[in-house]
Amino acid sequence: MISFLRGTVAHVSLSTAVIDLNGAGMSVYATPQTLSHLQVGEEAKLFTSLIVREDSLTLFGFSNDDEREVFDVLLSVSGVGPRLALAVLAVHEPEAIRVAAHSGDAKSFTKVPGIGPKVAGRIVLELAGKLVPHGTAPGAVPAVAAESVWKPQVVAAMTSLGWSEKDAAGSIDKAMADSPELADAGNVAPILRATLRWLGQDGARAGNRVGSRG
């Protein structure tokens, strides 16, 4: 694995830079912020992540190790590839991404071109517990969030899984009636899991009712 590159900057474009490593030019994709600090003819160091595909090897470069760590974690989200992960870092600083993921703030991710409510909801759901703000104690839970903040995020996550917005909203309300402590905490991932469990139990109850009538 190529962990970092250090060499002379040979070329800088809108999306890539070429680093001269003793006569070998390595092309690296990076955010506009990272590229803006590179000057042709000067030495630079970039932390890198190598993406291996069947038909290509692509390097992505970062100003620091924290950016690279957030990039790698974003890649674990279903449907998020390296270009989209890089776009997230182009819009948000790594710490802002950590805070949004930890607090269930899906709306922040919709500010990234190419990310709609469904993908944003999936990002929040799948990053729960994987990214936490620096200085946050292990196991700490986010601050209490109002329903107007968390409910649209849970609805977005459920619609991405195939439910209609109406059915999702109704199921959330019924599930939270059984688990008000989760609603009070306003943490998206546990609320979504509880709603899905409630739906499964409700489906089982409906099946039992049909069976008893037969």
Coordinates of all heavy atoms in Angstrom, one line a residue, residues 71-153:
F71 N -12.0 9.7 4.7 CA -12.2 9.2 3.3 C -12.4 7.7 3.3 O -13.3 7.2 2.7 CB -11.0 9.6 2.4 CG -11.0 9.1 1.0 CD1 -11.7 9.7 0.0 CD2 -10.3 7.9 0.7 CE1 -11.7 9.2 -1.3 CE2 -10.3 7.4 -0.6 CZ -11.0 8.1 -1.6
D72 N -11.5 7.0 4.0 CA -11.6 5.5 4.0 C -12.8 5.0 4.7 O -13.4 4.0 4.2 CB -10.3 4.9 4.7 CG -9.1 5.1 3.9 OD1 -9.2 5.2 2.6 OD2 -8.0 5.0 4.5
V73 N -13.3 5.7 5.7 CA -14.5 5.3 6.4 C -15.7 5.6 5.5 O -16.7 4.8 5.5 CB -14.6 6.0 7.8 CG1 -16.0 5.7 8.4 CG2 -13.5 5.6 8.7
L74 N -15.7 6.7 4.8 CA -16.8 7.0 3.9 C -17.0 5.9 2.9 O -18.1 5.6 2.4 CB -16.6 8.4 3.3 CG -16.9 9.6 4.1 CD1 -16.3 10.9 3.4 CD2 -18.4 9.8 4.4
L75 N -15.9 5.3 2.4 CA -16.0 4.3 1.4 C -16.7 3.0 1.9 O -17.1 2.2 1.1 CB -14.5 3.9 1.0 CG -13.8 5.0 0.2 CD1 -12.4 4.4 -0.2 CD2 -14.5 5.4 -1.1
S76 N -16.8 2.9 3.2 CA -17.5 1.7 3.8 C -19.0 1.9 3.6 O -19.8 0.9 3.8 CB -17.2 1.5 5.2 OG -17.8 2.6 6.0
V77 N -19.5 3.0 3.2 CA -21.0 3.2 3.1 C -21.4 2.7 1.7 O -20.8 3.0 0.7 CB -21.3 4.7 3.2 CG1 -22.8 5.0 2.9 CG2 -20.9 5.3 4.5
S78 N -22.5 2.0 1.7 CA -23.0 1.4 0.4 C -23.4 2.5 -0.6 O -24.1 3.5 -0.2 CB -24.3 0.6 0.7 OG -24.1 -0.4 1.7
G79 N -22.9 2.4 -1.8 CA -23.1 3.4 -2.8 C -22.2 4.6 -2.8 O -22.4 5.4 -3.7
V80 N -21.3 4.7 -1.9 CA -20.3 5.8 -1.9 C -19.0 5.3 -2.4 O -18.3 4.5 -1.8 CB -20.2 6.4 -0.4 CG1 -19.1 7.5 -0.4 CG2 -21.5 6.9 0.1
G81 N -18.6 5.8 -3.6 CA -17.4 5.5 -4.2 C -16.3 6.6 -3.8 O -16.6 7.5 -3.2
P82 N -15.1 6.4 -4.3 CA -14.0 7.3 -4.0 C -14.3 8.8 -4.5 O -13.9 9.7 -3.8 CB -12.8 6.7 -4.7 CG -13.3 5.7 -5.7 CD -14.6 5.2 -5.1
R83 N -14.9 8.9 -5.7 CA -15.1 10.3 -6.1 C -16.1 11.0 -5.3 O -16.0 12.2 -5.0 CB -15.6 10.2 -7.6 CG -14.6 9.6 -8.6 CD -13.3 10.3 -8.6 NE -12.4 9.6 -9.5 CZ -12.2 9.8 -10.8 NH1 -13.0 10.6 -11.4 NH2 -11.3 9.1 -11.5
L84 N -17.2 10.3 -4.8 CA -18.2 10.9 -4.0 C -17.6 11.2 -2.6 O -17.9 12.2 -2.0 CB -19.4 10.0 -3.9 CG -20.7 10.6 -3.3 CD1 -21.1 11.9 -4.1 CD2 -21.9 9.6 -3.3
A85 N -16.8 10.2 -2.1 CA -16.2 10.5 -0.8 C -15.3 11.7 -0.8 O -15.2 12.5 0.1 CB -15.4 9.2 -0.4
L86 N -14.6 11.9 -1.9 CA -13.7 13.0 -2.1 C -14.6 14.3 -2.2 O -14.2 15.3 -1.6 CB -12.9 12.9 -3.3 CG -11.6 13.8 -3.4 CD1 -10.6 13.5 -2.4 CD2 -11.0 13.7 -4.8
A87 N -15.7 14.2 -2.8 CA -16.6 15.4 -2.9 C -17.1 15.8 -1.5 O -17.2 17.0 -1.2 CB -17.8 15.0 -3.8
V88 N -17.4 14.8 -0.6 CA -17.8 15.1 0.7 C -16.7 15.9 1.4 O -16.9 16.9 2.1 CB -18.1 13.9 1.5 CG1 -18.4 14.2 3.0 CG2 -19.3 13.1 0.9
L89 N -15.4 15.5 1.2 CA -14.3 16.2 1.9 C -14.0 17.6 1.2 O -13.4 18.4 1.8 CB -13.0 15.3 1.8 CG -12.9 14.2 2.8 CD1 -11.9 13.2 2.4 CD2 -12.6 14.8 4.2
A90 N -14.5 17.7 0.0 CA -14.3 19.0 -0.7 C -15.3 20.1 -0.1 O -15.0 21.2 -0.1 CB -14.6 18.9 -2.2
V91 N -16.4 19.6 0.4 CA -17.4 20.5 1.0 C -17.3 20.7 2.5 O -17.5 21.8 3.0 CB -18.8 19.9 0.7 CG1 -19.9 20.8 1.3 CG2 -19.1 19.9 -0.8
H92 N -16.9 19.6 3.2 CA -16.8 19.6 4.6 C -15.4 19.3 5.1 O -14.8 18.4 4.6 CB -17.8 18.7 5.3 CG -19.3 19.0 5.0 ND1 -19.9 20.1 5.4 CD2 -20.2 18.2 4.3 CE1 -21.1 20.1 5.0 NE2 -21.4 19.0 4.3
E93 N -15.0 19.9 6.2 CA -13.8 19.6 6.9 C -14.0 18.2 7.6 O -15.1 17.9 7.9 CB -13.4 20.6 7.9 CG -13.0 22.0 7.4 CD -11.7 21.9 6.6 OE1 -10.8 21.1 7.0 OE2 -11.5 22.7 5.6
P94 N -12.9 17.5 7.8 CA -13.1 16.1 8.5 C -13.8 16.2 9.8 O -14.7 15.3 10.1 CB -11.6 15.7 8.7 CG -10.9 16.4 7.6 CD -11.5 17.7 7.4
E95 N -13.5 17.2 10.6 CA -14.2 17.3 11.9 C -15.7 17.5 11.7 O -16.5 17.0 12.5 CB -13.6 18.4 12.8 CG -14.1 18.4 14.2 CD -13.8 17.1 15.0 OE1 -13.0 16.3 14.5 OE2 -14.3 17.0 16.2
A96 N -16.1 18.3 10.7 CA -17.5 18.6 10.5 C -18.2 17.3 10.0 O -19.4 17.1 10.4 CB -17.6 19.7 9.4
I97 N -17.5 16.5 9.3 CA -18.1 15.2 8.9 C -18.3 14.3 10.1 O -19.3 13.6 10.2 CB -17.2 14.5 7.8 CG1 -17.1 15.4 6.5 CG2 -17.7 13.1 7.5 CD1 -16.0 14.9 5.6
R98 N -17.3 14.3 11.0 CA -17.4 13.5 12.2 C -18.6 13.9 13.0 O -19.4 13.1 13.5 CB -16.1 13.6 13.0 CG -14.9 13.0 12.4 CD -13.7 13.2 13.2 NE -12.5 12.6 12.7 CZ -12.2 11.3 12.8 NH1 -12.9 10.5 13.5 NH2 -11.1 10.8 12.2
V99 N -18.8 15.2 13.2 CA -19.9 15.8 14.0 C -21.2 15.4 13.3 O -22.1 15.0 14.0 CB -19.7 17.3 14.1 CG1 -21.0 17.9 14.7 CG2 -18.5 17.6 15.0
A100 N -21.3 15.6 12.0 CA -22.6 15.3 11.3 C -22.9 13.8 11.4 O -24.1 13.4 11.7 CB -22.5 15.7 9.8
A101 N -21.9 12.9 11.3 CA -22.2 11.5 11.4 C -22.6 11.1 12.8 O -23.5 10.3 13.0 CB -21.0 10.7 10.9
H102 N -21.9 11.7 13.8 CA -22.2 11.3 15.2 C -23.5 11.8 15.6 O -24.2 11.2 16.4 CB -21.1 11.9 16.0 CG -21.1 11.5 17.5 ND1 -21.0 10.2 17.9 CD2 -21.3 12.2 18.6 CE1 -21.1 10.1 19.2 NE2 -21.3 11.3 19.7
S103 N -23.9 13.0 15.2 CA -25.2 13.6 15.6 C -26.4 13.2 14.8 O -27.5 13.6 15.1 CB -25.1 15.2 15.6 OG -24.8 15.7 14.3
G104 N -26.1 12.5 13.6 CA -27.2 12.1 12.8 C -27.7 13.2 11.9 O -28.9 13.3 11.5
D105 N -26.8 14.2 11.5 CA -27.2 15.3 10.7 C -27.1 15.0 9.2 O -26.1 15.4 8.6 CB -26.3 16.5 11.1 CG -26.7 17.8 10.3 OD1 -27.7 17.8 9.7 OD2 -25.9 18.7 10.4
A106 N -28.1 14.3 8.7 CA -28.1 13.9 7.3 C -28.1 15.2 6.4 O -27.6 15.1 5.3 CB -29.2 13.0 7.0
K107 N -28.8 16.2 6.8 CA -28.9 17.4 6.0 C -27.6 18.0 5.6 O -27.5 18.5 4.4 CB -29.7 18.5 6.7 CG -30.1 19.7 5.9 CD -31.0 20.6 6.6 CE -31.4 21.8 5.7 NZ -32.3 22.7 6.5
S108 N -26.6 17.9 6.4 CA -25.3 18.4 6.1 C -24.7 17.7 4.8 O -24.0 18.3 4.0 CB -24.3 18.2 7.2 OG -24.6 19.0 8.3
F109 N -25.0 16.4 4.7 CA -24.4 15.6 3.6 C -25.2 15.9 2.3 O -24.6 15.7 1.2 CB -24.5 14.1 3.9 CG -23.6 13.7 5.0 CD1 -24.1 13.4 6.2 CD2 -22.2 13.6 4.8 CE1 -23.2 13.0 7.3 CE2 -21.3 13.3 5.8 CZ -21.8 13.0 7.0
T110 N -26.4 16.4 2.4 CA -27.1 16.8 1.1 C -26.6 18.0 0.5 O -26.9 18.4 -0.6 CB -28.6 17.0 1.4 OG1 -28.8 18.1 2.3 CG2 -29.3 15.8 2.0
K111 N -25.7 18.7 1.2 CA -25.0 19.9 0.6 C -23.9 19.5 -0.4 O -23.4 20.4 -1.2 CB -24.4 20.8 1.7 CG -25.4 21.4 2.7 CD -24.7 22.1 3.8 CE -25.7 22.7 4.8 NZ -25.1 23.4 5.9
V112 N -23.6 18.2 -0.4 CA -22.6 17.7 -1.3 C -23.2 17.4 -2.7 O -24.2 16.7 -2.7 CB -21.9 16.5 -0.8 CG1 -20.8 15.9 -1.7 CG2 -21.3 16.8 0.6
P113 N -22.7 17.9 -3.8 CA -23.3 17.6 -5.1 C -23.3 16.1 -5.3 O -22.3 15.4 -5.1 CB -22.3 18.3 -6.1 CG -21.8 19.4 -5.3 CD -21.6 18.9 -3.9
G114 N -24.4 15.6 -5.8 CA -24.5 14.1 -6.0 C -25.1 13.3 -4.8 O -25.3 12.1 -5.0
I115 N -25.4 14.0 -3.7 CA -25.9 13.3 -2.6 C -27.3 13.9 -2.3 O -27.5 15.1 -1.9 CB -25.0 13.4 -1.3 CG1 -23.7 12.7 -1.5 CG2 -25.7 12.9 -0.1 CD1 -22.8 12.8 -0.3
G116 N -28.3 13.0 -2.4 CA -29.7 13.4 -2.1 C -30.1 12.9 -0.7 O -29.3 12.3 0.0
P117 N -31.3 13.1 -0.3 CA -31.8 12.7 1.0 C -31.6 11.2 1.3 O -31.3 10.8 2.4 CB -33.3 13.1 1.1 CG -33.3 14.2 0.1 CD -32.4 13.9 -1.0
K118 N -31.9 10.4 0.3 CA -31.8 8.9 0.5 C -30.3 8.5 0.8 O -30.1 7.7 1.8 CB -32.3 8.2 -0.7 CG -33.8 8.3 -0.9 CD -34.2 7.4 -2.1 CE -35.7 7.5 -2.2 NZ -36.2 6.6 -3.4
V119 N -29.4 9.0 0.0 CA -28.0 8.6 0.2 C -27.5 9.2 1.6 O -26.7 8.6 2.3 CB -27.1 9.1 -0.9 CG1 -25.6 8.9 -0.6 CG2 -27.5 8.4 -2.2
A120 N -27.9 10.5 1.8 CA -27.5 11.1 3.1 C -28.0 10.3 4.3 O -27.3 10.1 5.3 CB -28.1 12.5 3.1
G121 N -29.2 9.8 4.2 CA -29.8 9.0 5.3 C -29.0 7.7 5.5 O -28.7 7.3 6.6
R122 N -28.6 7.1 4.4 CA -27.8 5.9 4.4 C -26.4 6.2 5.0 O -25.9 5.4 5.8 CB -27.6 5.3 3.0 CG -27.0 3.9 3.0 CD -26.8 3.4 1.6 NE -28.0 3.6 0.8 CZ -28.0 4.1 -0.4 NH1 -26.9 4.5 -1.0 NH2 -29.1 4.2 -1.1
I123 N -25.8 7.3 4.7 CA -24.5 7.7 5.2 C -24.6 7.8 6.7 O -23.8 7.2 7.5 CB -24.0 9.0 4.6 CG1 -23.6 8.8 3.1 CG2 -22.8 9.5 5.4 CD1 -23.2 10.1 2.4
V124 N -25.6 8.5 7.2 CA -25.7 8.7 8.7 C -26.0 7.3 9.4 O -25.4 7.0 10.4 CB -26.9 9.6 9.0 CG1 -27.3 9.6 10.4 CG2 -26.6 11.1 8.6
L125 N -26.8 6.5 8.7 CA -27.1 5.2 9.3 C -25.9 4.3 9.4 O -25.6 3.7 10.4 CB -28.2 4.5 8.5 CG -28.5 3.0 8.9 CD1 -29.1 3.0 10.3 CD2 -29.5 2.4 7.9
E126 N -25.1 4.2 8.3 CA -24.0 3.3 8.2 C -22.7 3.8 8.9 O -21.8 3.1 9.3 CB -23.7 2.9 6.8 CG -24.8 2.2 6.1 CD -24.5 1.7 4.8 OE1 -23.3 1.4 4.5 OE2 -25.4 1.4 3.9
L127 N -22.7 5.2 9.1 CA -21.5 5.7 9.8 C -21.7 5.8 11.3 O -20.7 6.2 12.0 CB -21.2 7.1 9.3 CG -20.6 7.2 7.9 CD1 -20.2 8.6 7.6 CD2 -19.4 6.3 7.7
A128 N -22.9 5.5 11.8 CA -23.1 5.5 13.2 C -22.1 4.7 14.0 O -22.0 3.5 13.8 CB -24.6 5.1 13.5
G129 N -21.4 5.4 14.9 CA -20.4 4.7 15.7 C -19.0 4.6 15.0 O -18.0 4.3 15.7
K130 N -18.9 4.8 13.7 CA -17.7 4.7 13.0 C -16.8 6.0 13.0 O -15.6 6.0 13.0 CB -17.9 4.3 11.6 CG -18.5 2.9 11.4 CD -18.6 2.5 9.9 CE -19.2 1.1 9.8 NZ -19.3 0.8 8.3
L131 N -17.5 7.1 13.0 CA -16.9 8.4 13.1 C -17.4 9.2 14.3 O -18.6 9.4 14.4 CB -17.1 9.2 11.8 CG -16.4 8.8 10.5 CD1 -16.8 9.6 9.3 CD2 -14.9 8.9 10.7
V132 N -16.5 9.6 15.2 CA -16.9 10.4 16.3 C -16.0 11.7 16.3 O -14.9 11.6 15.9 CB -16.9 9.7 17.6 CG1 -17.8 8.5 17.6 CG2 -15.4 9.2 17.9
P133 N -16.6 12.8 16.8 CA -15.7 14.0 16.9 C -14.5 13.8 17.8 O -14.6 13.0 18.8 CB -16.7 15.0 17.5 CG -18.1 14.5 17.1 CD -17.9 13.0 17.2
H134 N -13.4 14.4 17.5 CA -12.2 14.3 18.3 C -12.6 14.9 19.7 O -13.2 15.9 19.9 CB -11.1 15.1 17.7 CG -10.5 14.5 16.5 ND1 -10.0 13.2 16.5 CD2 -10.4 14.9 15.2 CE1 -9.6 12.9 15.2 NE2 -9.8 13.9 14.5
G135 N -12.1 14.1 20.7 CA -12.4 14.6 22.1 C -13.6 14.0 22.7 O -13.9 14.2 23.9
T136 N -14.4 13.3 21.9 CA -15.6 12.6 22.4 C -15.3 11.4 23.1 O -14.5 10.5 22.6 CB -16.6 12.3 21.2 OG1 -16.9 13.5 20.5 CG2 -17.9 11.7 21.7
A137 N -15.8 11.2 24.3 CA -15.5 10.1 25.1 C -16.1 8.8 24.5 O -17.2 8.9 23.8 CB -16.1 10.2 26.5
P138 N -15.4 7.7 24.5 CA -15.9 6.4 24.0 C -17.3 6.1 24.5 O -17.5 6.2 25.7 CB -14.9 5.4 24.4 CG -13.6 6.2 24.6 CD -14.1 7.5 25.2
G139 N -18.2 5.8 23.6 CA -19.6 5.4 24.0 C -20.5 6.6 24.3 O -21.7 6.4 24.6
A140 N -20.0 7.8 24.1 CA -20.8 9.0 24.4 C -21.9 9.1 23.3 O -21.7 8.7 22.1 CB -19.9 10.3 24.3
V141 N -23.0 9.5 23.7 CA -24.2 9.7 22.8 C -24.3 11.1 22.4 O -24.0 12.0 23.1 CB -25.5 9.1 23.4 CG1 -25.3 7.7 23.7 CG2 -25.8 9.9 24.6
P142 N -24.9 11.4 21.2 CA -25.1 12.8 20.8 C -26.1 13.5 21.7 O -26.8 12.9 22.4 CB -25.7 12.6 19.4 CG -25.3 11.2 18.9 CD -25.3 10.4 20.2
A143 N -26.0 14.8 21.6 CA -27.0 15.6 22.4 C -28.4 15.3 21.9 O -28.6 14.9 20.8 CB -26.6 17.1 22.2
V144 N -29.4 15.6 22.7 CA -30.8 15.4 22.4 C -31.1 16.2 21.2 O -30.8 17.4 21.1 CB -31.7 15.7 23.6 CG1 -33.1 15.6 23.2 CG2 -31.4 14.8 24.7
A145 N -31.8 15.6 20.2 CA -32.2 16.3 19.0 C -33.7 16.4 19.0 O -34.4 15.5 19.3 CB -31.7 15.6 17.8
A146 N -34.2 17.5 18.5 CA -35.7 17.7 18.3 C -36.2 16.8 17.2 O -35.5 16.4 16.3 CB -36.0 19.1 18.0
E147 N -37.5 16.4 17.3 CA -38.1 15.5 16.3 C -37.9 16.1 14.9 O -37.8 15.4 14.0 CB -39.5 15.2 16.7 CG -40.2 14.3 15.7 CD -41.6 13.9 16.1 OE1 -41.9 13.7 17.3 OE2 -42.5 13.9 15.2
S148 N -38.0 17.4 14.8 CA -38.0 18.0 13.5 C -36.6 17.8 12.9 O -36.5 18.0 11.7 CB -38.3 19.5 13.6 OG -37.3 20.2 14.5
V149 N -35.6 17.5 13.7 CA -34.3 17.3 13.2 C -34.1 15.8 12.8 O -33.7 15.5 11.7 CB -33.2 17.7 14.2 CG1 -31.8 17.3 13.7 CG2 -33.3 19.2 14.5
W150 N -34.4 14.9 13.7 CA -34.1 13.5 13.5 C -35.2 12.7 12.6 O -34.8 11.8 11.8 CB -33.9 12.7 14.8 CG -35.1 12.6 15.7 CD1 -35.2 13.3 16.9 CD2 -36.2 11.8 15.7 NE1 -36.4 13.0 17.5 CE2 -37.0 12.1 16.8 CE3 -36.7 10.8 14.8 CZ2 -38.2 11.4 17.1 CZ3 -37.9 10.2 15.0 CH2 -38.6 10.5 16.1
K151 N -36.4 13.1 12.7 CA -37.5 12.4 12.0 C -37.3 12.4 10.5 O -37.4 11.3 9.8 CB -38.9 12.9 12.4 CG -40.0 11.9 11.8 CD -41.3 12.3 12.4 CE -42.4 11.3 11.9 NZ -43.7 11.7 12.4
P152 N -37.0 13.6 9.8 CA -36.8 13.5 8.4 C -35.6 12.6 8.0 O -35.6 12.0 6.9 CB -36.5 15.0 8.0 CG -37.2 15.8 9.1 CD -37.0 14.9 10.4
Q153 N -34.6 12.5 8.8 CA -33.5 11.7 8.5 C -33.8 10.2 8.6 O -33.4 9.4 7.7 CB -32.3 12.0 9.5 CG -31.8 13.5 9.4 CD -30.9 13.8 10.6 OE1 -30.3 13.0 11.2 NE2 -30.9 15.1 10.9

